Amino acid sequence: MAGNWKMYKTPAETVAFFEKFRPLVENSSHCEIVICPSFTNLQAAVGAAKGSAIQVGAQNVAWAKEGAFTGEVSGPMLNAVGASHAIVGHSERRQYFNETDETVLKRTQGALEFGLTPIVCIGEVLADRESGRTEAVLAGQFQKGIAGLTEQQFAKIVIAYEPVWAIGTGKTATPEIAAETHRAIRAQVREKFGKDAADSVRILYGGSVKPDNAKVLMGQPEIDGVLVGGAALDPVSFASIVNF
Ligand code: 13P
């Protein structure tokens, strides 16, 4: 159960969130919990999560260890502040910051090389869905991105399926649509990495996940977890999703 805070919250607001959130998920041993704040809040989040099972992730990661890459933050830097995960290839990065399947692959490899668990995002836009091209688009993102990993690398990633038309719009994919799309992604995985990899990879759903739809989404066997934006900013609502 992962929360993507996007570009929200200060360090003080981060600490305040954890104070309220921690007791609400103290007994939530049925799942892993990851919160991904902005880079500037990572240290505060790791400190505030200390002693709990809550893990902290970044929202992006560079492919290089260090160097002349203004504005980038590397895997070793994230490790050094105690982050364990990194979101890679979020649709907002693809849409506004020219992230491509190629850079998504490089960043995923960068995360893995430096011991972070990448949460690799794929998803179609509304026009793709409406023109019946969803599976082709996802297959393209998979082939050009994730499929470039080795089997050993693939075994360490988490995939997040986020239909772009469902992000921040209040339009959730129906559980059936989400499950069907997860099945199609899993079929791609099976074809490239084999049955065991397909059976064990975790595929999260993201896009307008809220306390009132988390249970039915999580009720789909194909959906292994969720990547939550807006509803993860509030401790009570994210805890209620975690404890669906
Ligand atoms: P919302 O939950 O706000 O729709 O955002 C989803 C998302 O983009 C998570 O990465």
Side-chain angles (χ1 to χ4, degrees), residues 2-6 8 87 90-92 119 121 160 162-172 205-210 226-233 241:
N4 171 12
W5 279 1
K6 309 195 178 184
Y8 290 97
I87 298 172
H90 190 278
S91 62
E92 286 147 19
I119 302 173
C121 303
E162 298 208 316
V164 180
W165 48 269
I167 295 178
T169 58
K171 277 191 213 166
T172 328
Y205 169 80
S208 296
V209 177
K210 307 287 175 209
V226 287
L227 179 55
V228 185
L233 291 167
I241 292 172

PDB file of all heavy atoms in Angstrom, residues 2-6 8 87 90-92 119 121 160 162-172 205-210 226-233 241, ligand 1:
ATOM      1  N   ALA A   2       0.938   1.892  -1.132  1.00  0.00           N
ATOM      2  CA  ALA A   2       1.903   2.980  -1.285  1.00  0.00           C
ATOM      3  C   ALA A   2       1.188   4.310  -1.455  1.00  0.00           C
ATOM      4  O   ALA A   2       0.153   4.399  -2.112  1.00  0.00           O
ATOM      5  CB  ALA A   2       2.795   2.706  -2.494  1.00  0.00           C
ATOM      6  N   GLY A   3       1.762   5.324  -0.838  1.00  0.00           N
ATOM      7  CA  GLY A   3       1.233   6.680  -0.977  1.00  0.00           C
ATOM      8  C   GLY A   3       2.231   7.533  -1.734  1.00  0.00           C
ATOM      9  O   GLY A   3       3.422   7.523  -1.432  1.00  0.00           O
ATOM     10  N   ASN A   4       1.743   8.213  -2.760  1.00  0.00           N
ATOM     11  CA  ASN A   4       2.557   9.150  -3.524  1.00  0.00           C
ATOM     12  C   ASN A   4       2.072  10.550  -3.180  1.00  0.00           C
ATOM     13  O   ASN A   4       0.981  10.934  -3.590  1.00  0.00           O
ATOM     14  CB  ASN A   4       2.392   8.843  -5.021  1.00  0.00           C
ATOM     15  CG  ASN A   4       3.036   9.902  -5.900  1.00  0.00           C
ATOM     16  OD1 ASN A   4       3.788  10.743  -5.421  1.00  0.00           O
ATOM     17  ND2 ASN A   4       2.729   9.855  -7.189  1.00  0.00           N
ATOM     18  N   TRP A   5       2.884  11.263  -2.446  1.00  0.00           N
ATOM     19  CA  TRP A   5       2.462  12.596  -1.986  1.00  0.00           C
ATOM     20  C   TRP A   5       2.607  13.677  -3.055  1.00  0.00           C
ATOM     21  O   TRP A   5       2.241  14.817  -2.822  1.00  0.00           O
ATOM     22  CB  TRP A   5       3.266  12.988  -0.743  1.00  0.00           C
ATOM     23  CG  TRP A   5       2.744  12.386   0.529  1.00  0.00           C
ATOM     24  CD1 TRP A   5       1.678  11.539   0.673  1.00  0.00           C
ATOM     25  CD2 TRP A   5       3.270  12.593   1.846  1.00  0.00           C
ATOM     26  NE1 TRP A   5       1.511  11.211   1.997  1.00  0.00           N
ATOM     27  CE2 TRP A   5       2.483  11.847   2.741  1.00  0.00           C
ATOM     28  CE3 TRP A   5       4.340  13.326   2.358  1.00  0.00           C
ATOM     29  CZ2 TRP A   5       2.717  11.821   4.111  1.00  0.00           C
ATOM     30  CZ3 TRP A   5       4.585  13.298   3.715  1.00  0.00           C
ATOM     31  CH2 TRP A   5       3.785  12.567   4.587  1.00  0.00           C
ATOM     32  N   LYS A   6       3.221  13.326  -4.182  1.00  0.00           N
ATOM     33  CA  LYS A   6       3.425  14.318  -5.248  1.00  0.00           C
ATOM     34  C   LYS A   6       4.075  15.571  -4.655  1.00  0.00           C
ATOM     35  O   LYS A   6       4.880  15.458  -3.741  1.00  0.00           O
ATOM     36  CB  LYS A   6       2.102  14.598  -5.965  1.00  0.00           C
ATOM     37  CG  LYS A   6       1.439  13.279  -6.403  1.00  0.00           C
ATOM     38  CD  LYS A   6       0.336  13.430  -7.397  1.00  0.00           C
ATOM     39  CE  LYS A   6      -0.183  12.041  -7.761  1.00  0.00           C
ATOM     40  NZ  LYS A   6      -1.213  12.048  -8.795  1.00  0.00           N
ATOM     41  N   TYR A   8       3.444  17.926  -2.468  1.00  0.00           N
ATOM     42  CA  TYR A   8       2.700  18.449  -1.323  1.00  0.00           C
ATOM     43  C   TYR A   8       3.506  18.238  -0.048  1.00  0.00           C
ATOM     44  O   TYR A   8       4.296  17.303   0.030  1.00  0.00           O
ATOM     45  CB  TYR A   8       1.355  17.719  -1.168  1.00  0.00           C
ATOM     46  CG  TYR A   8       0.352  18.035  -2.249  1.00  0.00           C
ATOM     47  CD1 TYR A   8       0.220  17.185  -3.339  1.00  0.00           C
ATOM     48  CD2 TYR A   8      -0.443  19.181  -2.204  1.00  0.00           C
ATOM     49  CE1 TYR A   8      -0.703  17.451  -4.351  1.00  0.00           C
ATOM     50  CE2 TYR A   8      -1.363  19.456  -3.210  1.00  0.00           C
ATOM     51  CZ  TYR A   8      -1.487  18.587  -4.276  1.00  0.00           C
ATOM     52  OH  TYR A   8      -2.387  18.854  -5.268  1.00  0.00           O
ATOM     53  N   ILE A  87       9.615   5.634  -6.835  1.00  0.00           N
ATOM     54  CA  ILE A  87       8.656   5.582  -7.946  1.00  0.00           C
ATOM     55  C   ILE A  87       9.426   5.958  -9.210  1.00  0.00           C
ATOM     56  O   ILE A  87      10.259   6.862  -9.185  1.00  0.00           O
ATOM     57  CB  ILE A  87       7.494   6.576  -7.707  1.00  0.00           C
ATOM     58  CG1 ILE A  87       6.720   6.194  -6.445  1.00  0.00           C
ATOM     59  CG2 ILE A  87       6.571   6.641  -8.922  1.00  0.00           C
ATOM     60  CD1 ILE A  87       5.678   7.235  -6.016  1.00  0.00           C
ATOM     61  N   HIS A  90       6.343   7.786 -13.346  1.00  0.00           N
ATOM     62  CA  HIS A  90       4.963   8.219 -13.097  1.00  0.00           C
ATOM     63  C   HIS A  90       4.461   9.007 -14.301  1.00  0.00           C
ATOM     64  O   HIS A  90       5.225   9.719 -14.949  1.00  0.00           O
ATOM     65  CB  HIS A  90       4.915   9.076 -11.824  1.00  0.00           C
ATOM     66  CG  HIS A  90       3.515   9.337 -11.378  1.00  0.00           C
ATOM     67  ND1 HIS A  90       2.739  10.332 -11.923  1.00  0.00           N
ATOM     68  CD2 HIS A  90       2.739   8.699 -10.466  1.00  0.00           C
ATOM     69  CE1 HIS A  90       1.538  10.300 -11.360  1.00  0.00           C
ATOM     70  NE2 HIS A  90       1.512   9.316 -10.468  1.00  0.00           N
ATOM     71  N   SER A  91       3.177   8.905 -14.569  1.00  0.00           N
ATOM     72  CA  SER A  91       2.639   9.564 -15.779  1.00  0.00           C
ATOM     73  C   SER A  91       2.855  11.073 -15.756  1.00  0.00           C
ATOM     74  O   SER A  91       2.991  11.700 -16.800  1.00  0.00           O
ATOM     75  CB  SER A  91       1.158   9.250 -15.946  1.00  0.00           C
ATOM     76  OG  SER A  91       0.435   9.743 -14.852  1.00  0.00           O
ATOM     77  N   GLU A  92       2.908  11.659 -14.551  1.00  0.00           N
ATOM     78  CA  GLU A  92       3.167  13.111 -14.502  1.00  0.00           C
ATOM     79  C   GLU A  92       4.594  13.420 -14.928  1.00  0.00           C
ATOM     80  O   GLU A  92       4.864  14.464 -15.525  1.00  0.00           O
ATOM     81  CB  GLU A  92       2.849  13.640 -13.088  1.00  0.00           C
ATOM     82  CG  GLU A  92       1.342  13.693 -12.865  1.00  0.00           C
ATOM     83  CD  GLU A  92       0.900  13.420 -11.436  1.00  0.00           C
ATOM     84  OE1 GLU A  92       1.723  13.539 -10.507  1.00  0.00           O
ATOM     85  OE2 GLU A  92      -0.292  13.084 -11.250  1.00  0.00           O
ATOM     86  N   ILE A 119       9.208   1.276  -8.025  1.00  0.00           N
ATOM     87  CA  ILE A 119       7.777   1.098  -8.293  1.00  0.00           C
ATOM     88  C   ILE A 119       7.569   1.710  -9.677  1.00  0.00           C
ATOM     89  O   ILE A 119       7.534   2.933  -9.824  1.00  0.00           O
ATOM     90  CB  ILE A 119       6.908   1.813  -7.229  1.00  0.00           C
ATOM     91  CG1 ILE A 119       7.241   1.292  -5.826  1.00  0.00           C
ATOM     92  CG2 ILE A 119       5.414   1.641  -7.543  1.00  0.00           C
ATOM     93  CD1 ILE A 119       6.551   2.055  -4.689  1.00  0.00           C
ATOM     94  N   CYS A 121       5.820   2.729 -13.018  1.00  0.00           N
ATOM     95  CA  CYS A 121       4.444   3.054 -13.416  1.00  0.00           C
ATOM     96  C   CYS A 121       4.244   2.948 -14.921  1.00  0.00           C
ATOM     97  O   CYS A 121       5.082   3.403 -15.703  1.00  0.00           O
ATOM     98  CB  CYS A 121       4.107   4.483 -13.010  1.00  0.00           C
ATOM     99  SG  CYS A 121       4.313   4.812 -11.260  1.00  0.00           S
ATOM    100  N   ALA A 160       3.266  -0.540 -11.085  1.00  0.00           N
ATOM    101  CA  ALA A 160       2.025   0.171 -10.762  1.00  0.00           C
ATOM    102  C   ALA A 160       1.290   0.475 -12.060  1.00  0.00           C
ATOM    103  O   ALA A 160       1.858   1.115 -12.954  1.00  0.00           O
ATOM    104  CB  ALA A 160       2.318   1.456 -10.005  1.00  0.00           C
ATOM    105  N   GLU A 162      -1.389   2.633 -13.615  1.00  0.00           N
ATOM    106  CA  GLU A 162      -2.150   3.848 -13.330  1.00  0.00           C
ATOM    107  C   GLU A 162      -2.744   4.388 -14.627  1.00  0.00           C
ATOM    108  O   GLU A 162      -2.042   5.041 -15.403  1.00  0.00           O
ATOM    109  CB  GLU A 162      -1.236   4.912 -12.702  1.00  0.00           C
ATOM    110  CG  GLU A 162      -0.643   4.490 -11.383  1.00  0.00           C
ATOM    111  CD  GLU A 162      -0.333   5.693 -10.485  1.00  0.00           C
ATOM    112  OE1 GLU A 162       0.212   6.701 -10.984  1.00  0.00           O
ATOM    113  OE2 GLU A 162      -0.667   5.618  -9.305  1.00  0.00           O
ATOM    114  N   PRO A 163      -4.027   4.117 -14.867  1.00  0.00           N
ATOM    115  CA  PRO A 163      -4.654   4.715 -16.043  1.00  0.00           C
ATOM    116  C   PRO A 163      -4.668   6.237 -15.868  1.00  0.00           C
ATOM    117  O   PRO A 163      -5.157   6.738 -14.859  1.00  0.00           O
ATOM    118  CB  PRO A 163      -6.073   4.137 -16.034  1.00  0.00           C
ATOM    119  CG  PRO A 163      -6.287   3.558 -14.673  1.00  0.00           C
ATOM    120  CD  PRO A 163      -4.948   3.341 -14.043  1.00  0.00           C
ATOM    121  N   VAL A 164      -4.089   6.949 -16.823  1.00  0.00           N
ATOM    122  CA  VAL A 164      -3.889   8.390 -16.652  1.00  0.00           C
ATOM    123  C   VAL A 164      -5.233   9.110 -16.482  1.00  0.00           C
ATOM    124  O   VAL A 164      -5.344  10.077 -15.728  1.00  0.00           O
ATOM    125  CB  VAL A 164      -3.085   8.960 -17.851  1.00  0.00           C
ATOM    126  CG1 VAL A 164      -2.860  10.457 -17.694  1.00  0.00           C
ATOM    127  CG2 VAL A 164      -1.736   8.246 -17.967  1.00  0.00           C
ATOM    128  N   TRP A 165      -6.263   8.588 -17.127  1.00  0.00           N
ATOM    129  CA  TRP A 165      -7.593   9.216 -17.057  1.00  0.00           C
ATOM    130  C   TRP A 165      -8.230   9.057 -15.673  1.00  0.00           C
ATOM    131  O   TRP A 165      -9.235   9.690 -15.369  1.00  0.00           O
ATOM    132  CB  TRP A 165      -8.522   8.633 -18.137  1.00  0.00           C
ATOM    133  CG  TRP A 165      -8.505   7.124 -18.198  1.00  0.00           C
ATOM    134  CD1 TRP A 165      -7.692   6.354 -18.961  1.00  0.00           C
ATOM    135  CD2 TRP A 165      -9.335   6.213 -17.470  1.00  0.00           C
ATOM    136  NE1 TRP A 165      -7.949   5.022 -18.751  1.00  0.00           N
ATOM    137  CE2 TRP A 165      -8.950   4.907 -17.857  1.00  0.00           C
ATOM    138  CE3 TRP A 165     -10.372   6.369 -16.549  1.00  0.00           C
ATOM    139  CZ2 TRP A 165      -9.554   3.764 -17.337  1.00  0.00           C
ATOM    140  CZ3 TRP A 165     -10.977   5.238 -16.032  1.00  0.00           C
ATOM    141  CH2 TRP A 165     -10.568   3.957 -16.421  1.00  0.00           C
ATOM    142  N   ALA A 166      -7.651   8.227 -14.836  1.00  0.00           N
ATOM    143  CA  ALA A 166      -8.216   8.011 -13.495  1.00  0.00           C
ATOM    144  C   ALA A 166      -7.424   8.741 -12.413  1.00  0.00           C
ATOM    145  O   ALA A 166      -7.791   8.696 -11.247  1.00  0.00           O
ATOM    146  CB  ALA A 166      -8.258   6.514 -13.188  1.00  0.00           C
ATOM    147  N   ILE A 167      -6.354   9.424 -12.807  1.00  0.00           N
ATOM    148  CA  ILE A 167      -5.493  10.067 -11.804  1.00  0.00           C
ATOM    149  C   ILE A 167      -6.019  11.452 -11.467  1.00  0.00           C
ATOM    150  O   ILE A 167      -6.117  12.319 -12.342  1.00  0.00           O
ATOM    151  CB  ILE A 167      -4.037  10.153 -12.302  1.00  0.00           C
ATOM    152  CG1 ILE A 167      -3.449   8.748 -12.450  1.00  0.00           C
ATOM    153  CG2 ILE A 167      -3.187  10.986 -11.347  1.00  0.00           C
ATOM    154  CD1 ILE A 167      -2.031   8.708 -12.975  1.00  0.00           C
ATOM    155  N   GLY A 168      -6.384  11.645 -10.212  1.00  0.00           N
ATOM    156  CA  GLY A 168      -6.825  12.950  -9.734  1.00  0.00           C
ATOM    157  C   GLY A 168      -8.143  13.409 -10.325  1.00  0.00           C
ATOM    158  O   GLY A 168      -8.522  14.572 -10.201  1.00  0.00           O
ATOM    159  N   THR A 169      -8.856  12.520 -10.983  1.00  0.00           N
ATOM    160  CA  THR A 169     -10.088  12.916 -11.666  1.00  0.00           C
ATOM    161  C   THR A 169     -11.335  12.461 -10.915  1.00  0.00           C
ATOM    162  O   THR A 169     -12.443  12.875 -11.246  1.00  0.00           O
ATOM    163  CB  THR A 169     -10.154  12.257 -13.063  1.00  0.00           C
ATOM    164  OG1 THR A 169     -10.074  10.830 -12.888  1.00  0.00           O
ATOM    165  CG2 THR A 169      -9.016  12.722 -13.947  1.00  0.00           C
ATOM    166  N   GLY A 170     -11.136  11.596  -9.913  1.00  0.00           N
ATOM    167  CA  GLY A 170     -12.292  11.028  -9.226  1.00  0.00           C
ATOM    168  C   GLY A 170     -12.893   9.864 -10.009  1.00  0.00           C
ATOM    169  O   GLY A 170     -13.797   9.189  -9.544  1.00  0.00           O
ATOM    170  N   LYS A 171     -12.382   9.643 -11.241  1.00  0.00           N
ATOM    171  CA  LYS A 171     -12.867   8.501 -12.048  1.00  0.00           C
ATOM    172  C   LYS A 171     -11.961   7.304 -11.780  1.00  0.00           C
ATOM    173  O   LYS A 171     -10.839   7.258 -12.272  1.00  0.00           O
ATOM    174  CB  LYS A 171     -12.717   8.818 -13.542  1.00  0.00           C
ATOM    175  CG  LYS A 171     -13.800   9.614 -14.148  1.00  0.00           C
ATOM    176  CD  LYS A 171     -13.609   9.569 -15.666  1.00  0.00           C
ATOM    177  CE  LYS A 171     -14.063  10.884 -16.264  1.00  0.00           C
ATOM    178  NZ  LYS A 171     -13.616  11.058 -17.635  1.00  0.00           N
ATOM    179  N   THR A 172     -12.432   6.370 -11.001  1.00  0.00           N
ATOM    180  CA  THR A 172     -11.617   5.165 -10.787  1.00  0.00           C
ATOM    181  C   THR A 172     -11.936   4.193 -11.909  1.00  0.00           C
ATOM    182  O   THR A 172     -13.072   4.143 -12.366  1.00  0.00           O
ATOM    183  CB  THR A 172     -12.047   4.445  -9.489  1.00  0.00           C
ATOM    184  OG1 THR A 172     -12.477   5.411  -8.580  1.00  0.00           O
ATOM    185  CG2 THR A 172     -10.938   3.613  -8.911  1.00  0.00           C
ATOM    186  N   TYR A 205      -2.582  -0.982  -8.269  1.00  0.00           N
ATOM    187  CA  TYR A 205      -3.477  -0.124  -9.048  1.00  0.00           C
ATOM    188  C   TYR A 205      -3.402   1.291  -8.490  1.00  0.00           C
ATOM    189  O   TYR A 205      -3.396   1.470  -7.266  1.00  0.00           O
ATOM    190  CB  TYR A 205      -4.932  -0.639  -8.991  1.00  0.00           C
ATOM    191  CG  TYR A 205      -5.858   0.410  -9.562  1.00  0.00           C
ATOM    192  CD1 TYR A 205      -5.986   0.542 -10.942  1.00  0.00           C
ATOM    193  CD2 TYR A 205      -6.514   1.329  -8.734  1.00  0.00           C
ATOM    194  CE1 TYR A 205      -6.752   1.565 -11.477  1.00  0.00           C
ATOM    195  CE2 TYR A 205      -7.281   2.348  -9.264  1.00  0.00           C
ATOM    196  CZ  TYR A 205      -7.396   2.463 -10.635  1.00  0.00           C
ATOM    197  OH  TYR A 205      -8.127   3.500 -11.164  1.00  0.00           O
ATOM    198  N   GLY A 206      -3.375   2.274  -9.374  1.00  0.00           N
ATOM    199  CA  GLY A 206      -3.409   3.670  -8.930  1.00  0.00           C
ATOM    200  C   GLY A 206      -4.350   4.490  -9.788  1.00  0.00           C
ATOM    201  O   GLY A 206      -4.442   4.269 -10.997  1.00  0.00           O
ATOM    202  N   GLY A 207      -5.029   5.438  -9.165  1.00  0.00           N
ATOM    203  CA  GLY A 207      -5.959   6.313  -9.891  1.00  0.00           C
ATOM    204  C   GLY A 207      -7.240   6.460  -9.106  1.00  0.00           C
ATOM    205  O   GLY A 207      -8.098   5.579  -9.134  1.00  0.00           O
ATOM    206  N   SER A 208      -7.333   7.584  -8.352  1.00  0.00           N
ATOM    207  CA  SER A 208      -8.534   7.881  -7.556  1.00  0.00           C
ATOM    208  C   SER A 208      -8.917   6.759  -6.578  1.00  0.00           C
ATOM    209  O   SER A 208     -10.096   6.478  -6.386  1.00  0.00           O
ATOM    210  CB  SER A 208      -9.721   8.241  -8.467  1.00  0.00           C
ATOM    211  OG  SER A 208      -9.445   9.429  -9.192  1.00  0.00           O
ATOM    212  N   VAL A 209      -7.898   6.152  -5.974  1.00  0.00           N
ATOM    213  CA  VAL A 209      -8.185   5.189  -4.895  1.00  0.00           C
ATOM    214  C   VAL A 209      -8.557   5.990  -3.646  1.00  0.00           C
ATOM    215  O   VAL A 209      -7.872   6.943  -3.290  1.00  0.00           O
ATOM    216  CB  VAL A 209      -6.967   4.284  -4.602  1.00  0.00           C
ATOM    217  CG1 VAL A 209      -7.262   3.347  -3.425  1.00  0.00           C
ATOM    218  CG2 VAL A 209      -6.584   3.480  -5.839  1.00  0.00           C
ATOM    219  N   LYS A 210      -9.671   5.619  -3.033  1.00  0.00           N
ATOM    220  CA  LYS A 210     -10.203   6.326  -1.860  1.00  0.00           C
ATOM    221  C   LYS A 210     -10.605   5.283  -0.815  1.00  0.00           C
ATOM    222  O   LYS A 210     -10.748   4.102  -1.139  1.00  0.00           O
ATOM    223  CB  LYS A 210     -11.462   7.134  -2.253  1.00  0.00           C
ATOM    224  CG  LYS A 210     -11.279   8.077  -3.427  1.00  0.00           C
ATOM    225  CD  LYS A 210     -10.455   9.305  -3.076  1.00  0.00           C
ATOM    226  CE  LYS A 210     -10.201  10.145  -4.332  1.00  0.00           C
ATOM    227  NZ  LYS A 210      -8.976  10.898  -4.314  1.00  0.00           N
ATOM    228  N   VAL A 226      -2.168  -0.884  -3.853  1.00  0.00           N
ATOM    229  CA  VAL A 226      -2.594   0.367  -4.493  1.00  0.00           C
ATOM    230  C   VAL A 226      -1.493   1.429  -4.367  1.00  0.00           C
ATOM    231  O   VAL A 226      -0.683   1.389  -3.442  1.00  0.00           O
ATOM    232  CB  VAL A 226      -3.912   0.900  -3.883  1.00  0.00           C
ATOM    233  CG1 VAL A 226      -5.091   0.047  -4.331  1.00  0.00           C
ATOM    234  CG2 VAL A 226      -3.847   0.959  -2.367  1.00  0.00           C
ATOM    235  N   LEU A 227      -1.496   2.337  -5.317  1.00  0.00           N
ATOM    236  CA  LEU A 227      -0.619   3.509  -5.268  1.00  0.00           C
ATOM    237  C   LEU A 227      -1.550   4.716  -5.217  1.00  0.00           C
ATOM    238  O   LEU A 227      -2.285   4.986  -6.167  1.00  0.00           O
ATOM    239  CB  LEU A 227       0.295   3.544  -6.502  1.00  0.00           C
ATOM    240  CG  LEU A 227       1.270   4.719  -6.621  1.00  0.00           C
ATOM    241  CD1 LEU A 227       2.158   4.860  -5.389  1.00  0.00           C
ATOM    242  CD2 LEU A 227       2.157   4.562  -7.864  1.00  0.00           C
ATOM    243  N   VAL A 228      -1.540   5.375  -4.074  1.00  0.00           N
ATOM    244  CA  VAL A 228      -2.570   6.369  -3.768  1.00  0.00           C
ATOM    245  C   VAL A 228      -1.986   7.772  -3.808  1.00  0.00           C
ATOM    246  O   VAL A 228      -0.946   8.023  -3.194  1.00  0.00           O
ATOM    247  CB  VAL A 228      -3.146   6.095  -2.354  1.00  0.00           C
ATOM    248  CG1 VAL A 228      -4.305   7.035  -2.064  1.00  0.00           C
ATOM    249  CG2 VAL A 228      -3.564   4.644  -2.207  1.00  0.00           C
ATOM    250  N   GLY A 229      -2.656   8.684  -4.508  1.00  0.00           N
ATOM    251  CA  GLY A 229      -2.210  10.081  -4.538  1.00  0.00           C
ATOM    252  C   GLY A 229      -2.945  10.897  -3.491  1.00  0.00           C
ATOM    253  O   GLY A 229      -2.624  10.855  -2.299  1.00  0.00           O
ATOM    254  N   GLY A 230      -3.952  11.611  -3.924  1.00  0.00           N
ATOM    255  CA  GLY A 230      -4.658  12.569  -3.060  1.00  0.00           C
ATOM    256  C   GLY A 230      -5.062  12.018  -1.701  1.00  0.00           C
ATOM    257  O   GLY A 230      -4.850  12.671  -0.662  1.00  0.00           O
ATOM    258  N   ALA A 231      -5.618  10.812  -1.679  1.00  0.00           N
ATOM    259  CA  ALA A 231      -6.138  10.261  -0.417  1.00  0.00           C
ATOM    260  C   ALA A 231      -5.023   9.803   0.526  1.00  0.00           C
ATOM    261  O   ALA A 231      -5.292   9.450   1.672  1.00  0.00           O
ATOM    262  CB  ALA A 231      -7.100   9.106  -0.705  1.00  0.00           C
ATOM    263  N   ALA A 232      -3.771   9.836   0.053  1.00  0.00           N
ATOM    264  CA  ALA A 232      -2.663   9.450   0.940  1.00  0.00           C
ATOM    265  C   ALA A 232      -2.115  10.651   1.706  1.00  0.00           C
ATOM    266  O   ALA A 232      -1.231  10.504   2.557  1.00  0.00           O
ATOM    267  CB  ALA A 232      -1.548   8.799   0.139  1.00  0.00           C
ATOM    268  N   LEU A 233      -2.636  11.839   1.397  1.00  0.00           N
ATOM    269  CA  LEU A 233      -2.141  13.046   2.083  1.00  0.00           C
ATOM    270  C   LEU A 233      -2.748  13.191   3.465  1.00  0.00           C
ATOM    271  O   LEU A 233      -2.216  13.892   4.315  1.00  0.00           O
ATOM    272  CB  LEU A 233      -2.474  14.290   1.240  1.00  0.00           C
ATOM    273  CG  LEU A 233      -1.701  14.413  -0.076  1.00  0.00           C
ATOM    274  CD1 LEU A 233      -2.331  15.477  -0.973  1.00  0.00           C
ATOM    275  CD2 LEU A 233      -0.237  14.746   0.187  1.00  0.00           C
ATOM    276  N   ILE A 241      -7.498   3.254   3.916  1.00  0.00           N
ATOM    277  CA  ILE A 241      -7.196   2.486   2.695  1.00  0.00           C
ATOM    278  C   ILE A 241      -6.274   1.309   3.036  1.00  0.00           C
ATOM    279  O   ILE A 241      -6.515   0.171   2.614  1.00  0.00           O
ATOM    280  CB  ILE A 241      -6.550   3.414   1.632  1.00  0.00           C
ATOM    281  CG1 ILE A 241      -7.589   4.414   1.142  1.00  0.00           C
ATOM    282  CG2 ILE A 241      -5.969   2.602   0.476  1.00  0.00           C
ATOM    283  CD1 ILE A 241      -7.044   5.514   0.244  1.00  0.00           C
TER     284      ILE A 241
HETATM  285  P1  13P B   1      -4.855  10.049  -7.197  1.00  0.00           P
HETATM  286  O1  13P B   1      -5.014   8.972  -6.163  1.00  0.00           O
HETATM  287  O2  13P B   1      -4.851  11.439  -6.616  1.00  0.00           O
HETATM  288  O3  13P B   1      -5.794   9.878  -8.347  1.00  0.00           O
HETATM  289  O4  13P B   1      -3.364   9.872  -7.810  1.00  0.00           O
HETATM  290  C1  13P B   1      -2.967   8.624  -8.239  1.00  0.00           C
HETATM  291  C2  13P B   1      -1.508   8.665  -8.503  1.00  0.00           C
HETATM  292  O5  13P B   1      -1.067   9.289  -9.447  1.00  0.00           O
HETATM  293  C3  13P B   1      -0.608   7.953  -7.584  1.00  0.00           C
HETATM  294  O6  13P B   1       0.676   7.868  -8.087  1.00  0.00           O
END
